[in-house]
């Protein structure tokens, strides 16, 4: 996929970017800068372009990993 290709984004993410872009343009920003910032915002909020679906996994946070290790150690002592 070439750089700048929006093929991996869902329809919802595209609509969100378009709405954000319109808001930036209303504030007087150039169309090109508004588009750049809109996609940067979508990436920050949603973690980048991705297809929707229940099979998509998420990595565990550090707190979740620590909690799992603590529970496992306690279970081993019992």
């Amino acid at each position: 996929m070439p750089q700048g290709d929006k093929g991996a984004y869902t329809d919802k993410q595209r609509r969100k970017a378009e709405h954000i872009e319109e808001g930036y343009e209303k504030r007087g920003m150039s169309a090109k800068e508004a588009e750049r910032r809109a996609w940067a915002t979508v990436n920050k909020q949603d973690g980048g372009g991705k297809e929707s679906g229940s099979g998509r996994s998420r990595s565990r946070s550090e707190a979740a990993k620590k909690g799992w290790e603590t529970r496992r150690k306690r279970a081993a002592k019992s």
Side-chain angles (χ1 to χ4, degrees), residues 1-72:
M1 191 176 344
Q3 189 173 6
D5 183 25
K6 307 296 186 223
Y9 291 92
T10 63
D11 289 338
K12 183 177 180 180
Q13 288 171 318
R14 291 171 206 252
R15 288 192 307 271
K16 183 189 273 190
E18 189 175 322
H19 182 73
I20 294 168
E21 183 179 347
E22 288 171 4
Y24 280 128
E25 288 176 353
K26 280 183 183 177
R27 293 184 222 157
M29 196 169 292
S30 72
K32 189 174 182 179
E33 179 66 11
E35 181 183 14
R36 187 191 69 76
R37 286 192 183 191
W39 282 109
T41 303
V42 170
N43 285 336
K44 185 169 185 178
Q45 290 176 348
D46 295 348
K50 57 189 170 193
E51 295 297 326
S52 62
S54 61
R56 200 175 61 241
S57 64
R58 287 163 48 189
S59 62
R60 290 188 184 168
S61 67
E62 286 300 315
K65 289 177 187 174
K66 186 175 182 180
W68 171 249
E69 290 171 10
T70 303
R71 286 190 301 275
R72 200 175 79 220

